[in-house]
């Protein structure tokens, strides 16, 4: 296959008008089934999004089912959430017991509880990716992984903790190495994904994110002192009024600035992560810059606010369209070597992932 | 004219374009040419794939990745054999969208109605002895913090007797600064010392205790436990947003109802015991005022959350005063003094807070 730099190997051909009937009937059916239809609704959405995503010369195909997603959820509910709720109850009882021994036991139990839940989060991320790849077909070939993700869960635990130690300075390292670990365990057809992302170019942006609050607080304090001095002979009412405006303004600046800087970091991270990903002779690239992410976020925000929340049924559509439109692939794919994946297809969906409510990647 | 289809065999990614040829019995077809595995394949084994109407792709049962895709509408003799594409899901497709929505909406309303009625029903089905065991598990450990003096215990007993305390109810006074009282399942009532210290008369304590005894009589503690742990889990699941809001609404609705039910019970038992409800009304008036004062919000919020507004409770207690009734104090001066000094005189082993 030739290079597809011109048109791009990926193309999204959906339109929101075409998707709207799916979104609205999903919402309707989800309401009248008290949420149960959600699993089938999500499946319909994915079928639409995948089938309107062209890669080179054919569309992707989503073959997952609503039943799989529901079974995944039920399994997690029975195996994880019920025991965890029981443990939580036990912690409460122990903590109220009063004796020192019981309180230490409660503390230990709480610690174990936290560690287990955290590792489960890591496993969830891994298995959701595995499930999605195993249900994604192109040219009749699917992806997958033979890895169960338990080792990844442990890795997720200690890397994230280490990332947080050292004043959070190792967070980019943890993010990138976990991305590599996750994708290196995945394959599509006969080829393994190879992820070699590094923290090159990320640390500067991360430090900006890291130092921004400190900087803002320093600026804020100086501004506050200056305001206090200049307003020394104003009346108390005017002073407190000015202080209120100052605090609101500071709050807004703080979170807007922090949001912008985190977006600035995240866009670089995503470009780096996907740019270092290969599959066989295919190389990938992600072209969204910070301003593209900003447009996506502001658009979604406006959509949800202006429609009093109903617009949120289009969020999955917007995110997918954004993702595909900024995804590029280069290189060649020899179709005669492109044979079916031999990985074991998981029996049920991303249950843990659902219940922990995490994002797509 | 031959009909060609795009074909993947699910083993390699190579795309073939064989002709699809029905066999004479019309139940099977062959894929001829371009290196495709000819078959025969049964039409009945085809499974619809793809979600949009202009796309006619089919898989084959037991052959993941096997696909044929029609590039144009297939001729009639093939089209009649092809399975219909799924749209909303099997059952809904069969009944039609609007009919399904109607039936499902009725079912949903029924489920919600049953769900609302379920916790009180379940709470009543749980045997008293089991509830008492649970209550002791939850509260029994507070025993270590409970304040106890012979005179104080006697005063508490006298107060409870005046309010016609039912059998199996245990009342504890616990050293904690909160102006609050709690009724746990199994008839375990806890009065915090903060409440007793802030009370201006024993009648106020009687009002609050009457309220908690109302919770015990209505078995609200068990019901709330079932609601929080049982239904919370069940509901919270399917769609976290819908479930979360629904549950919060249900809980708020329920707890207001339970609180006003307990208030009604308290008013009834104050009346039966000839204790004036006015001091309790005054307590709520103070709480309402405290609530407005900024500094004290943390302490108060705990009491007020999920309770009816203090001011409306004040009005209700005040309205229950009978003209010309002869009210007597809930406790004698000596008994009241014993209750107030209970925690100071029997310092618990350690304070909880």
């Amino acid at each position: 296959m030739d290079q597809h730099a011109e048109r791009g190997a990926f193309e999204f051909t959906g339109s929101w008008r075409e998707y709207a009937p799916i979104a609205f009937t999903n919402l309707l059916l989800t309401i009248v089934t008290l949420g149960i239809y959600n699993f089938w609704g999500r499946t319909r959405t994915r079928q639409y999004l995948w089938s309107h995503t062209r890669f080179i010369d054919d569309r992707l195909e989503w073959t997952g089912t609503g039943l799989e997603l529901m079974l995944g959820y039920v399994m997690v509910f029975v195996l994880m959430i019920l025991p965890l709720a029981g443990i939580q109850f036990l912690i409460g009882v122990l903590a109220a017991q009063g004796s020192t021994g019981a309180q230490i036991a409660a503390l230990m139990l709480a610690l174990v509880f936290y560690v287990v839940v955290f590792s489960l989060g890591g496993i969830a991320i891994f298995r959701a990716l595995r499930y999605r790849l195993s249900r994604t077909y192109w040219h009749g070939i699917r992806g997958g992984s033979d890895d169960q993700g338990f080792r990844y869960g442990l890795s997720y635990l200690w890397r994230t903790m280490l990332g947080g130690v050292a004043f959070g300075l190792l967070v980019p390292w943890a993010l990138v190495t976990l991305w590599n670990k996750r994708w290196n365990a995945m394959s599509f057809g006969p080829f393994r994904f190879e992820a070699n992302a590094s923290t090159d170019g990320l640390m500067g942006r991360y430090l900006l994110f890291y130092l921004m609050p400190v900087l803002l607080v320093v600026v804020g304090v100086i501004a506050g002192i200056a305001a206090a001095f200049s307003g020394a002979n104003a009346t108390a009412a005017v002073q407190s009024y000015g202080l209120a405006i100052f605090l609101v303004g500071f709050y807004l600046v703080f979170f807007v600035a922090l949001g912008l800087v985190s977006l600035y970091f995240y866009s670089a991270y995503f470009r780096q992560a996907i740019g270092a990903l290969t599959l066989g002779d295919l190389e990938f690239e992600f072209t969204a810059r910070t301003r593209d992410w900003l447009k996506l976020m502001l658009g979604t925000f406006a959509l949800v606010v202006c429609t009093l929340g109903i617009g949120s049924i289009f969020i999955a559509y917007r995110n997918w369209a954004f993702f595909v439109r900024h995804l590029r692939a280069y290189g060649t794919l020899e179709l005669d070597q492109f044979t079916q994946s031999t990985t074991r297809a998981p029996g049920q969906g991303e249950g843990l992932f659902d219940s922990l409510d995490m994002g797509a990647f | 004219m031959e009909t060609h289809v795009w074909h993947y065999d699910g083993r390699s990614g190579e795309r073939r374009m064989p002709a699809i040829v029905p066999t004479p019995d019309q139940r099977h077809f062959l894929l001829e040419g371009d290196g495709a595995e000819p078959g025969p394949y049964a039409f009945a084994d085809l499974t619809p794939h793809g979600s949009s109407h202009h796309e006619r792709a089919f898989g084959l049962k037991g052959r993941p990745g096997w696909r044929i895709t029609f590039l144009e509408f297939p001729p009639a003799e093939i089209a009649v054999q092809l399975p219909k594409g799924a749209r909303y899901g099997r059952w809904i497709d069969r009944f039609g969208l609007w009919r399904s929505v109607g039936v499902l909406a009725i079912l949903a309303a029924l489920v919600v109605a049953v769900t609302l009625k379920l916790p009180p029903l379940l709470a009543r089905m749980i045997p008293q002895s089991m509830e008492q065991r649970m209550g002791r598990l939850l509260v029994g450990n507070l025993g270590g913090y409970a304040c106890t003096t012979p005179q104080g215990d006697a005063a508490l007993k006298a107060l409870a007797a005046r309010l016609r305390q039912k059998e199996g109810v245990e009342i504890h006074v616990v050293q904690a600064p909160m102006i609050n009282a709690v009724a746990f399942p199994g008839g375990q009532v806890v009065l915090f010392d903060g409440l007793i210290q802030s009370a201006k008369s024993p009648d106020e304590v009687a009002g609050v205790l009457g309220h908690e005894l109302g919770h015990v009589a209505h078995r609200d503690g068990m019901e709330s436990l079932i609601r929080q742990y049982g239904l919370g889990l069940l509901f919270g699941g399917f769609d976290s947003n819908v479930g979360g809001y629904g549950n919060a609404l249900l809980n708020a609705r329920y707890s207001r109802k339970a609180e006003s039910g307990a208030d009604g019970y308290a008013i009834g038992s104050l009346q039966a015991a000839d204790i004036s409800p006015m001091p309790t009304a005054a307590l709520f008036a103070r709480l309402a005022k405290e609530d407005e004062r900024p500094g004290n919000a943390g302490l108060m919020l705990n009491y007020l959350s999920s309770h009816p507004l203090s001011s409306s409770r004040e009005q209700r207690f005040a309205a229950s005063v009978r003209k010309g009734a002869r009210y007597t104090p809930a406790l004698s001066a000596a008994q009241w003094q014993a209750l107030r000094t209970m925690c100071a005189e029997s310092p618990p082993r350690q304070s909880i807070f």
Side-chain angles (χ1 to χ4, degrees):
Chain A
M1 231 125 294
D2 296 329
Q3 287 220 335
H4 281 257
E6 280 300 307
R7 222 164 111 225
F10 285 98
E11 188 186 16
F12 183 64
T13 58
S15 82
W16 71 267
R17 279 185 202 83
E18 216 180 8
Y19 174 68
I22 296 178
F24 281 109
T25 48
N26 277 351
L27 180 66
L28 180 68
L29 286 166
T30 302
I31 290 171
V32 297
T33 56
L34 300 174
I36 297 172
Y37 188 76
N38 199 265
F39 302 112
W40 282 265
R42 214 159 24 202
T43 300
R44 279 184 77 209
T45 293
R46 283 190 199 163
Q47 275 173 355
Y48 177 83
L49 295 177
W50 264 240
S51 70
H52 286 79
T53 301
R54 183 188 55 75
F55 176 61
I56 304 177
D57 64 343
D58 204 357
R59 289 168 299 186
L60 302 183
E61 193 186 354
W62 177 259
T63 62
T65 66
L67 189 66
E68 282 167 1
L69 288 181
M70 194 176 86
L71 285 180
Y73 177 81
V74 169
M75 210 173 86
V76 166
F77 186 80
V78 172
L79 292 181
M80 312 275 181
I81 296 186
L82 280 184
L84 287 180
I87 290 174
Q88 227 171 1
F89 186 77
L90 199 64
I91 291 173
V93 169
L94 278 174
Q97 285 287 337
S99 77
T100 322
Q103 258 161 3
I104 289 173
L107 203 70
M108 295 300 289
L109 210 57
L111 199 71
V112 170
F113 177 79
Y114 182 75
V115 165
V116 167
V117 167
F118 205 84
S119 315
L120 287 180
I123 296 173
I125 293 173
F126 185 94
R127 291 179 84 114
L129 181 61
R130 182 179 80 142
Y131 171 73
R132 282 166 200 215
L133 280 170
S134 78
R135 296 300 188 267
T136 299
Y137 278 78
W138 181 77
H139 273 238
I141 303 294
R142 66 172 173 84
S145 175
D146 276 326
D147 200 323
Q148 298 281 320
F150 296 115
R151 284 220 324 272
Y152 180 84
L154 284 180
S155 196
Y156 180 79
L157 179 70
W158 75 259
R159 276 168 207 262
T160 310
M161 281 184 169
L162 197 62
V165 183
F167 307 107
L169 281 173
L170 288 175
V171 167
W173 164 83
L175 273 176
V176 166
T177 53
L178 283 170
W179 167 281
N180 288 343
K181 227 174 154 47
R182 196 156 71 230
W183 280 93
N184 280 326
M186 301 291 157
S187 61
F188 203 96
F191 306 116
R192 284 183 81 86
F193 281 99
E194 270 179 55
N196 292 306
S198 69
T199 51
D200 289 352
L202 290 181
M203 272 325 273
R205 290 183 185 221
Y206 184 73
L207 281 178
L208 195 61
F209 171 71
Y210 191 78
L211 294 175
M212 186 67 124
V214 182
L215 210 70
L216 275 175
V217 167
V218 170
V219 170
V221 166
I222 291 172
I225 291 171
F229 270 108
S230 67
N233 38 16
T235 63
V238 169
Q239 259 188 15
S240 64
Y241 189 62
L243 186 70
I245 288 182
F246 170 75
L247 283 178
V248 168
F250 183 70
Y251 184 82
L252 282 179
V253 168
F254 192 83
F255 282 98
V256 169
L258 216 60
L260 281 176
V261 175
S262 65
L263 220 53
Y264 183 59
F265 168 74
Y266 194 73
S267 76
Y269 160 72
F270 218 72
R271 280 201 303 275
Q272 165 70 243
I274 291 194
L277 195 65
T278 61
L279 177 71
D281 288 330
L282 286 176
E283 288 173 21
F284 297 94
E285 188 193 350
F286 198 68
T287 61
R289 318 282 314 180
T290 309
R291 62 173 178 278
D292 302 313
W293 284 93
L294 188 64
K295 268 191 247 164
L296 173 75
M297 300 279 171
L298 290 179
T300 302
F301 183 74
L303 176 72
V304 172
V305 169
C306 295
T307 59
L308 300 175
I310 296 173
S312 56
I313 57 177
F314 286 100
I315 290 179
Y317 174 90
R318 282 177 59 84
N319 288 349
W320 179 261
F322 175 81
F323 175 67
V324 174
R325 282 184 181 134
H326 288 99
L327 192 61
R328 301 277 181 277
Y330 306 98
T332 55
L333 189 67
E334 302 295 339
L335 279 178
D336 49 1
Q337 291 168 24
F338 193 56
T339 51
Q340 188 57 280
S341 173
T342 55
T343 55
R344 199 178 66 85
Q348 73 286 317
E350 52 220 52
L352 200 53
F353 202 64
D354 276 352
S355 48
L356 295 178
D357 265 345
M358 293 191 201
F361 294 87
Chain B
M1 206 188 85
E2 280 191 325
T3 307
H4 284 269
V5 288
W6 275 12
H7 171 57
Y8 301 117
D9 62 11
R11 295 199 186 98
S12 93
E14 204 108 44
R15 178 157 69 213
R16 301 171 209 281
M17 280 199 65
I20 177 166
V21 182
T23 56
D25 69 354
Q26 297 289 323
R27 298 244 171 82
H28 296 78
F29 62 88
L30 300 168
L31 295 177
E32 290 180 348
D34 204 13
E37 207 180 299
Y41 306 95
F43 276 113
D45 285 344
L46 289 181
T47 52
H49 275 266
S51 58
S52 62
H53 49 277
H54 46 73
E55 171 181 36
R56 304 275 289 172
F58 298 91
L60 190 69
K61 260 175 212 153
R63 288 284 299 273
W66 189 100
R67 294 285 179 279
I68 52 173
T69 308
F70 291 90
L71 301 174
E72 54 210 67
F73 201 79
E77 78 261 26
I78 295 176
V80 293
Q81 300 289 345
L82 295 172
K84 270 208 181 126
R87 197 144 178 219
Y88 303 106
R90 205 180 301 155
W91 294 347
I92 298 167
D93 287 342
R94 194 177 305 157
F95 295 120
L97 176 66
W98 293 108
R99 207 190 298 177
S100 308
V101 166
V103 171
L104 287 167
I106 292 169
L107 279 177
L110 279 174
V111 168
V112 169
V114 169
T115 308
L116 282 171
K117 294 277 170 256
L118 208 55
L121 282 178
L122 282 178
R124 271 150 198 75
M125 273 164 63
I126 290 175
Q128 203 98 35
S129 62
M130 194 174 140
E131 189 183 324
Q132 275 169 2
R133 219 176 303 148
M134 276 184 72
R136 270 191 213 109
L137 182 76
L138 281 166
V139 177
N141 38 62
L142 283 175
Y145 303 101
C147 310
T148 171
T149 60
Q151 294 88 350
D153 290 342
L156 203 57
K157 214 171 163 188
L159 183 60
R162 262 195 91 174
L163 293 170
R164 303 212 180 137
Q165 169 199 24
K166 298 262 174 356
E167 207 152 305
V169 179
E170 284 177 36
I171 304 170
H172 314 263
V173 174
V174 160
Q175 170 104 58
M178 291 133 77
I179 307 177
N180 205 350
V182 188
F184 288 98
Q188 302 282 333
V189 175
V190 171
L191 296 174
F192 293 108
D193 190 44
L195 172 80
I196 296 172
Q197 296 308 323
S198 79
K200 296 227 157 53
S201 76
D203 297 5
E204 290 182 9
V205 177
V208 174
L209 184 58
H211 174 92
E212 299 308 331
L213 291 176
H215 280 313
V216 171
H218 300 151
R219 297 185 81 173
D220 290 332
M222 199 64 224
E223 197 183 319
S224 139
L225 206 67
I226 290 172
R227 214 176 280 272
Q228 274 178 28
Y229 277 87
L231 296 178
L233 279 175
L234 196 72
F235 239 155
F238 290 121
D239 185 287
S240 43
N241 279 331
V242 175
Y245 295 140
N247 210 28
L249 270 173
L250 280 182
N251 265 330
R253 194 192 102 108
Y254 150 76
S255 61
R256 291 228 161 182
K257 224 172 113 189
E259 291 309 317
S260 86
D263 275 352
Y265 185 94
I267 287 171
S269 41
L270 288 180
Q271 254 166 15
D274 286 329
I275 300 172
S276 170
M278 275 320 278
T280 311
L283 170 73
F284 286 126
R286 288 211 307 281
L287 282 174
K289 215 178 285 168
E290 294 266 346
D291 187 39
E292 285 162 16
R293 217 170 61 196
N296 235 344
L299 202 66
M300 294 289 101
L301 265 179
N302 186 34
Y303 188 83
L304 290 172
S305 61
S306 76
H307 280 60
L309 283 174
S310 297
S311 51
S312 71
R313 303 178 74 185
E314 174 204 345
Q315 281 160 20
R316 195 168 164 200
F317 274 86
S320 74
V321 175
R322 278 171 302 154
K323 274 201 181 129
R326 290 194 47 194
Y327 290 120
T328 51
L331 290 174
S332 71
Q335 283 173 321
W336 178 226
Q337 189 58 27
L339 190 61
R340 281 178 71 86
T341 54
M342 214 168 154
C343 280
E345 282 178 12
S346 88
R349 272 170 261 156
Q350 57 194 123
S351 172
I352 313 181
F353 300 97

